[in-house]
Amino acid sequence: MPAHRRPTDTTTSKPLKPAVFHILLALAARDNYGYALMQAVREASDGHVLLSPGSFYRHLAKLIDDGLVGEAAPRRAGDDPRRGTYYRLTARGHSVLADERKRLAALVAAIDLLGVAPRRGHA
């Protein structure tokens, strides 16, 4: 990373953007390549988070710059050579994802304490 560029603080001070959350979540499950990650995000979000290649790779570049994602080990013999670089979640990425889990769990706990539930016919 260039000396003039500081990594963005992606800690629990701010919630993760849905696209970022789903990319990290997909990589927590397994190392993967770009197109498969985009598909995993679409499937895991039930189609609510749709990433174009441009937006996906912008998010991915930022996650790499921030040290949350890195390139996985070189592919093994027998892997499909048409697939590009494989990516993996770094230790920092696992930590940020764990912090987001705690943040979301606290929100759910707060709702549960209040006994708030959606009314019938309302989402």
Side-chain angles (χ1 to χ4, degrees), residues 115-123:
V116 176
R119 288 186 266 162
R120 288 185 177 210
H122 295 79

Side-chain angles (χ1 to χ4, degrees), residues 30-45:
R30 62 181 265 197
D31 295 352
N32 224 327
Y33 60 99
Y35 181 76
L37 286 170
M38 288 172 43
Q39 295 305 309
V41 166
R42 182 183 53 78
E43 290 172 17
S45 70

